[in-house]
């Protein structure tokens, strides 16, 4: 048996489950095993088909999915929705015996998360299409699991460099393996506007035509964006679109001079400075623009959130910033979305329930929580995947220091800011800014292996987490990441297998 065909140990799962008890035996998946799913229709059935496809494409098996009553046939994988309230929206219980694999959840999302656990218990070769590993064995035992936080995200900056639909879908698949559930798309910035807006077509026609370094840029049509959202949703990942304003708007200003205060359009920008652009917050035309954009983005986005950026508005006067945020918040609300923005929103008056994404200024973030905001934690020194691993990293920035794999793992989202309580924290998110990243290979190099650590911080209990134990599990994921063809950084300090 090749090393990549060996069943991983029962305790090598990332994120670490709440409880995992190995039983010492093995289950062997036979090529004609059945996946028995209840109910067989709807989301549960679709999730079962996802599992069958995953296994079939590497093994050449033809696992069949179907319903079934009574005792399942020997060798079956059983997926079942059950009124098990305690499992919550994403929790699951997995029991592997020599006869069956049984996965139970309250919701289809829980089955999907549980399938990622089954996936990680299967030999890594299951990840490589056409690998034909065999026999496929899983160690026996029981896992009970549910996430600590409801928001476990990653952000892709498609504005500084543009990444196409397939690249983003691949990234979603890699997120899903680690049970992440939010994909934040940073769709607009000084260097590019990446989502077509029907009522303001020059935003992409002109504003999407370049990127950092002067390359061709690109943008998503409404159909492209829908394809990303639908794909993400099939992985139980919610897309959060970000339209950054009033700063980080040079691409919009270059496309429509009426959005500037002096009526003169700036040139397109391909550098990496920040903080120099602003929508003209004192012009009514600006609010017509924002309403149109928010209306179209909201209509394309089934998820409940709309991110308005709000960061580094250094070219906007403080009083005007506050007035702007107040008006834009009302527009977002009017279109039925929940407002999220970077921590700077804490400088404005916020409605309770607004979500604020912390990145570096604890004082402003605390002001936001004092106004009833909920936090998504993305401290730059820990969670920014664009920071260099060490000074010799070929890619990445260094303004927040360097962040090795341990730094990215060894922190707690609630303890990060003194005085913040568990109740105030919705979860964690790892932003990947793309000033220095040109290809999806570059993206993978920065995200892996740090992103699985952020995923674990979002999912697993703080008690019992330790770097020394985690790095062993991470090292055991080397063969899986290789089988997936991920361009991950072989970080020193991790015992890679
Ligand atoms: C900052 C800035 C971004 C940069 C990023 C680079 C935020 C919220 N605004 O984070 O425009 O791309 O740093 O690390």
């Amino acid at each position: 048996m090749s090393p990549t065909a060996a069943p991983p140990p029962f305790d090598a799962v990332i994120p670490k489950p709440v409880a995992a008890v190995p039983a010492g035996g093995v289950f062997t998946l036979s090529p004609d095993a059945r996946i028995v799913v209840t109910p067989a229709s709807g989301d549960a059935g679709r999730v079962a088909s996802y599992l069958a496809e995953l296994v079939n494409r590497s093994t050449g098996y033809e696992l069949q999915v179907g319903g079934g009553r009574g005792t399942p046939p020997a060798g079956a994988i059983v997926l079942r929705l059950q009124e098990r309230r305690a499992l919550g929206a994403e929790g699951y219980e997995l029991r592997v015996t020599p006869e069956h694999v049984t996965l139970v959840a309250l919701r289809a999302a829980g089955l999907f998360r549980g399938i990622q656990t089954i996936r990680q218990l299967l030999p890594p070769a299951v990840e490589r299409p056409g690998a034909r590993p065999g026999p496929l064995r899983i160690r026996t035992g029981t896992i009970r699991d549910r996430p600590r936080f409801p928001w476990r995200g990653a952000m892709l900056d498609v504005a500084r460099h543009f990444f196409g639909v397939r690249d983003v879908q691949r990234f979603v698949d890699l997120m899903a393996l680690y049970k992440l559930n939010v994909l934040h798309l940073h769709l607009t910035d000084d260097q590019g506007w990446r989502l077509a807006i029907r009522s303001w077509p020059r935003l992409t026609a002109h504003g999407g035509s370049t990127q950092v370094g002067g390359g061709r840029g690109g943008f998503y049509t409404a159909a492209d964006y829908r394809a990303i959202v639908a794909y993400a949703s099939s992985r139980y990942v919610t897309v959060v679109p970000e339209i950054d304003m009033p700063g980080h708007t040079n691409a919009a200003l270059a496309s429509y001079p009426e959005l500037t205060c002096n009526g003169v359009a700036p040139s397109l920008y391909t550098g990496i400075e920040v903080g120099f652009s602003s929508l003209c917050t004192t012009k009514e035309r600006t609010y017509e623009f924002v309403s149109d954009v928010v209306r179209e983005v909201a209509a394309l986005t089934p998820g409940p959130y709309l991110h308005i950026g709000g960061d580094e508005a250094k070219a906007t006067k403080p009083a005007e910033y506050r007035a702007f945020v107040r008006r834009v918040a009302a527009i977002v609300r009017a279109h039925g979305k929940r407002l999220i923005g970077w921590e700077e929103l804490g400088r404005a008056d916020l409605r309770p329930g607004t979500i604020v994404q912390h990145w570096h200024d604890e004082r402003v973030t605390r002001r936001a929580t004092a106004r009833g905001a909920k936090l998504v934690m993305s401290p730059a020194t820990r969670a920014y995947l664009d920071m260099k691993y060490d000074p010799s990293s070929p890619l990445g920035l260094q303004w927040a220091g360097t962040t090795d794999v341990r730094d990215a793992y060894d922190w707690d989202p609630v303890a990060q800011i003194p005085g913040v309580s568990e109740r105030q924290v919705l979860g964690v998110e790892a932003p990947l800014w793309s000033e220095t990243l040109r290809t999806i290979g570059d993206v993978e190099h920065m995200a892996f292996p740090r992103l699985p650590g952020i995923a674990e911080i979002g999912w697993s209990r703080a008690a019992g987490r330790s770097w020394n134990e985690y790095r062993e599990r991470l090292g055991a994921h080397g063969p899986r990441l290789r089988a997936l063809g991920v361009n991950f950084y072989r970080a020193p300090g991790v015992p890679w297998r």
Side-chain angles (χ1 to χ4, degrees):
M1 190 162 52
S2 75
T4 47
F10 205 67
D11 55 5
V13 174
I14 300 176
K16 188 185 180 64
V18 172
V21 185
V26 285
F27 168 90
T28 303
L29 186 65
S30 64
D32 59 352
R34 282 178 60 78
I35 300 180
V36 180
V37 54
T38 322
S41 60
D43 291 343
R46 275 189 286 277
V47 165
S49 302
Y50 162 90
L51 173 60
E53 264 166 47
L54 185 87
V55 173
N56 292 348
R57 73 166 187 225
S58 59
T59 56
Y61 291 2
E62 289 177 15
L63 301 188
Q64 300 296 318
V65 175
R69 288 167 181 282
T71 317
I77 298 180
V78 181
L79 309 180
R80 199 184 304 134
L81 290 184
Q82 253 178 22
E83 268 309 299
R84 295 273 301 277
R85 295 268 141 206
L87 293 174
E90 294 181 280
Y92 64 92
E93 197 173 277
L94 174 67
R95 188 178 298 273
V96 183
T97 65
E99 293 78 35
H100 297 119
V101 173
T102 309
L103 180 63
V104 174
L106 176 65
R107 303 259 183 268
L111 291 180
F112 186 83
R113 304 291 176 236
I115 283 171
Q116 305 310 316
T117 298
I118 294 176
R119 188 175 168 188
Q120 293 189 15
L121 294 174
L122 284 163
V126 80
E127 308 293 351
R128 185 179 293 135
R132 300 282 185 273
L136 276 193
R137 300 181 313 158
I138 305 181
R139 296 184 202 274
T140 61
T142 306
I143 292 182
R144 219 173 7 85
D145 205 7
R146 58 177 293 172
R148 178 179 176 195
F149 295 110
W151 187 299
R152 305 178 307 280
M155 187 206 83
L156 261 190
D157 171 8
V158 297
R160 270 55 177 273
H161 282 97
F162 181 67
F163 300 99
V165 174
R166 276 164 186 270
D167 285 347
V168 177
Q169 290 174 337
R170 168 162 167 92
F171 192 70
V172 167
D173 273 327
L174 295 175
M175 289 172 61
L177 173 61
Y178 294 104
K179 301 189 175 75
L180 291 164
N181 66 355
V182 172
L183 173 66
H184 169 180
L185 287 177
H186 183 76
L187 290 166
T188 66
D189 213 303
D190 291 318
Q191 299 84 348
W193 186 287
R194 309 296 180 203
L195 176 62
I197 301 295
R198 229 180 325 153
S199 50
W200 296 74
R202 267 180 66 79
L203 289 172
T204 44
H206 184 62
S209 64
T210 191
Q211 57 184 6
V212 167
R216 276 185 51 229
F219 64 90
Y220 306 123
T221 62
D224 290 339
Y225 179 78
R226 278 203 199 89
I228 292 172
V229 168
Y231 194 85
S233 142
S234 74
R235 270 70 178 151
Y236 294 87
V237 170
T238 301
V239 170
V240 176
E242 178 185 352
I243 306 294
D244 204 345
M245 57 182 106
H248 289 278
T249 41
N250 189 75
L253 304 176
S255 308
Y256 288 100
E258 63 209 274
L259 300 176
T260 66
C261 284
N262 64 6
V264 179
S267 315
L268 290 171
Y269 181 69
T270 59
I272 64 168
E273 293 303 315
V274 295
F276 59 88
S277 57
S278 181
L279 296 173
C280 190
T281 61
T282 52
K283 261 188 181 173
E284 273 317 292
R285 189 70 181 132
T286 294
Y287 297 94
E288 292 166 18
F289 166 76
V290 172
S291 296
D292 288 341
V293 170
V294 167
R295 173 172 34 79
E296 292 196 30
V297 175
L300 286 173
T301 305
Y305 312 104
L306 203 144
H307 200 304
I308 61 156
D311 56 320
E312 300 174 315
K314 294 174 188 158
T316 319
K317 295 198 184 92
E320 290 174 7
Y321 179 82
R322 285 195 295 277
F324 177 81
V325 170
R326 199 173 322 118
R327 286 190 68 173
V328 172
I331 293 170
V332 170
R333 235 182 1 258
H335 288 95
K337 297 298 179 190
R338 185 165 173 193
L339 182 71
I340 166 163
W342 297 103
E343 70 200 11
E344 283 91 332
L345 289 197
R347 300 186 187 282
D349 296 323
L350 301 176
R351 294 227 169 175
T354 303
I355 303 169
V356 158
Q357 186 165 8
H358 170 70
W359 62 285
H360 80 317
D361 187 337
E362 297 187 359
R363 220 172 25 92
V364 196
T365 300
R366 249 196 246 104
R367 256 161 73 181
T369 51
R371 292 177 166 144
K374 298 280 187 210
L375 297 182
V376 170
M377 295 297 292
S378 306
T381 52
R382 301 290 192 170
Y384 267 34
L385 299 176
D386 57 313
M387 289 303 124
K388 288 178 181 287
Y389 289 96
D390 65 47
S392 74
S393 299
L395 302 169
L397 303 175
Q398 226 178 317
W399 68 262
T402 56
T403 306
D404 64 21
V405 183
R406 180 179 184 158
D407 298 326
Y409 178 78
D410 229 353
W411 62 286
D412 183 82
V414 175
Q416 181 72 15
I417 303 182
V420 162
S421 69
E422 181 105 16
R423 250 185 336 101
Q424 292 172 312
V425 177
L426 264 186
V428 291
E429 189 180 294
L432 187 39
W433 302 96
S434 64
E435 284 95 333
T436 66
L437 313 178
R438 283 188 301 260
T439 66
I440 195 70
D442 292 350
V443 165
E444 290 176 7
H445 182 78
M446 299 309 272
F448 292 90
R450 287 181 290 195
L451 187 57
I454 301 287
E456 173 147 315
I457 291 174
W459 180 281
S460 310
R461 303 293 167 275
R465 276 209 294 112
S466 88
W467 164 248
N468 275 330
E469 184 272 338
Y470 171 70
R471 69 195 192 112
E472 295 289 333
R473 269 183 295 130
L474 181 59
H477 275 237
R480 189 168 305 273
L481 293 172
R482 279 200 300 277
L484 282 162
V486 176
N487 179 33
F488 68 102
Y489 171 54
R490 271 66 167 175
V494 178
W496 294 109
R497 304 239 192 98

